[in-house]
Amino acid sequence: MDRRDFLRYSLALGATFVFGAKKSHAAFPWLRKGLLPPGMVVIDAHAHPDQFYDSNDPSPDLSSSLEKITALGMWGSNFAVSGDNQDGVTPWPHVIDQVAYVNGLEFERKVKIIRSRDDVLQNLYEKSSIPAAILSLEGASPIGCEAPTGAYPDIDAGLDELFKNGVRMITVMHRGDNQFGVNMSHEGTDGSGLTALGQQLVEGMIKRGMIVDGAHAYYRTLIGMATIARANGVPIIDSHTSLSPRPQPNGSRLRTWKEMEIIVRTGGLICTWPLQWESTELGVRRWTIRDWASENFEIKKRFGAAHIALGTDGGGQLSDMVDGYTSILDLPKLIAAMHRAGFHEWEIELYMGGNFRRVLETCLPV
């Protein structure tokens, strides 16, 4: 979005607040239609569009879907394969089946899988009508699990197969502790973190040009990931989280300032999601889309606009979502709320897609 478009957008928002929605929508048809501001690049750093990892669910979470991504005009979205579930580790063949599903979407010309920095630039400047797909694995537990009993897990073989099939990001932890490290369901900041296998995995990911996602990782695990990332000059991210009201990790999915700082020091990103929650004990609630925008502003004030991004976990079956948000089609409302919270034009552009694009261009192979 250039400065003139954003100024018109800002005036439209002002008209909404002063005169009501009817007049502002009349001046800006795209706003009335629920579209994004002209030219704005939006990338969702973590999602499971159409809940493709579980096609048998009779009532899937469709808050992110390929249809909605295309209709909204998003530049692209993450497509996260599930590596584990409530029943345990996903069998490796099913992991590959999920990867093949997204590759099938590309074969049908419904998405363009981003495999290299050149792909990022090509999709950005050609303004393709086909959305980009950043293929990832959430939960690395299946990697190496096919090794014979008693044999050392072949991490490199698993990474090679994933990379060959287009996977460019791995969320190392997910539902629980695994062979690579400790999950953030643990409280405090003491104890174990990244294992020797975890170090091998993270180093192998960076070597191949994969993004290291620290979502779900415990404090000490996160430190291990960040140490390796800094040594290699690359960022890590937390692809979907929000700000904890507590000073120390307490076993929830919320990140403390201390944890966020570990990620930011790598040059990485805190990607915030629409999860609704409250702490009756502390008298704090994250209840509305305005609360989401206000939290983004607080993170921006602390670390700068270069370290925040969007990660909705759409398709991930969030327990509750903030009032005003039911799907990615409501992202224009978040843009409006962030403007009202005090964000500048360029800061909103960074949050909605610019920062994650920078991480892609930094980490992916040429």
Side-chain angles (χ1 to χ4, degrees):
M1 186 191 320
D2 61 28
R3 185 169 299 278
R4 183 172 60 182
D5 284 336
F6 193 88
L7 179 59
R8 293 176 62 198
Y9 176 52
S10 301
L11 290 172
L13 293 175
T16 299
F17 300 137
V18 176
F19 302 111
K22 187 174 182 180
K23 290 186 178 179
S24 63
H25 286 171
F28 301 95
W30 56 266
L31 187 60
R32 181 183 68 246
K33 295 176 182 178
L35 301 178
L36 297 168
M40 179 166 281
V41 172
V42 176
I43 313 173
D44 192 342
H46 185 79
H48 312 265
D50 296 300
Q51 198 181 303
F52 71 93
Y53 60 88
D54 185 5
S55 58
N56 295 320
D57 190 336
S59 55
D61 172 4
L62 299 179
S63 58
S64 175
S65 69
L66 185 53
E67 180 182 8
K68 291 183 176 76
I69 291 167
T70 306
L72 189 59
M74 293 172 62
W75 182 86
S77 177
N78 171 253
F79 280 66
V81 169
S82 177
D84 55 17
N85 53 48
Q86 293 176 345
D87 297 324
V89 177
T90 303
W92 185 251
H94 183 48
V95 169
I96 299 305
D97 285 346
Q98 294 176 71
V99 172
Y101 171 83
V102 183
N103 277 270
L105 292 178
E106 182 176 54
F107 180 78
E108 296 171 8
R109 298 189 55 78
K110 294 180 178 178
V111 301
K112 164 61 181 174
I113 297 175
I114 300 299
R115 297 177 173 83
S116 68
R117 300 178 198 179
D118 287 344
D119 287 341
V120 176
L121 295 174
Q122 183 176 353
N123 260 48
L124 182 65
Y125 295 113
E126 286 189 355
K127 297 182 179 179
S128 172
S129 59
I130 301 174
I134 300 93
L135 184 51
S136 76
L137 170 65
E138 182 174 29
S141 301
I143 298 176
C145 280
E146 296 298 300
T149 303
Y152 196 75
D154 193 343
I155 305 304
D156 286 331
L159 286 175
D160 285 342
E161 185 168 6
L162 292 172
F163 187 87
K164 178 185 69 176
N165 285 285
V167 173
R168 293 296 182 268
M169 185 164 87
I170 297 177
T171 311
V172 179
M173 315 303 303
H174 190 212
R175 293 188 177 274
D177 302 346
N178 62 20
Q179 68 270 40
F180 302 115
V182 178
N183 176 276
M184 69 186 297
S185 56
H186 296 262
E187 298 185 18
T189 57
D190 298 324
S192 301
L194 199 66
T195 66
L197 277 179
Q199 294 173 27
Q200 181 185 344
L201 178 75
V202 171
E203 289 168 353
M205 289 169 60
I206 293 172
K207 174 184 174 182
R208 288 166 174 79
M210 291 176 160
I211 298 168
V212 179
D213 182 9
H216 297 276
Y218 175 59
Y219 177 79
R220 291 287 174 187
T221 309
L222 202 61
I223 288 176
M225 294 176 181
T227 300
I228 296 170
R230 287 199 304 272
N232 287 274
V234 297
I236 65 172
I237 70 172
D238 186 319
S239 65
H240 53 300
T241 191
S242 61
L243 177 62
S244 173
R246 301 176 185 275
Q248 298 291 338
N250 72 324
S252 76
R253 275 289 292 117
L254 312 184
R255 288 290 186 200
T256 63
W257 288 123
K258 184 183 297 188
E259 292 171 291
M260 289 185 179
E261 186 173 3
I262 294 168
I263 296 166
V264 168
R265 283 183 176 178
T266 70
L269 302 179
I270 310 301
C271 305
T272 63
W273 59 352
L275 180 70
Q276 183 184 79
W277 58 263
E278 68 175 328
S279 170
T280 53
E281 176 189 351
L282 299 177
V284 179
R285 63 175 3 191
R286 187 184 193 264
W287 210 251
T288 68
I289 205 165
R290 285 191 176 187
D291 293 335
W292 184 5
S294 296
E295 174 189 270
N296 289 344
F297 191 76
E298 290 303 309
I299 298 172
K300 187 267 294 190
K301 283 201 304 182
R302 183 94 170 207
F303 298 121
H307 298 291
I308 54 173
L310 173 73
T312 68
D313 199 19
Q317 297 183 320
L318 291 182
S319 53
D320 291 291
M321 293 188 286
V322 293
D323 291 348
Y325 184 92
T326 58
S327 78
I328 56 172
L329 295 179
D330 291 315
L331 287 175
K333 297 180 186 177
L334 177 62
I335 294 170
M338 288 178 66
H339 176 80
R340 193 175 188 185
F343 278 89
H344 297 296
E345 156 196 352
W346 59 274
E347 293 173 327
I348 296 176
E349 291 183 336
L350 288 178
Y351 172 85
M352 296 304 296
N355 284 333
F356 189 60
R357 192 182 81 217
R358 183 189 74 242
V359 169
L360 289 170
E361 291 173 347
T362 301
C363 296
L364 298 191
V366 177

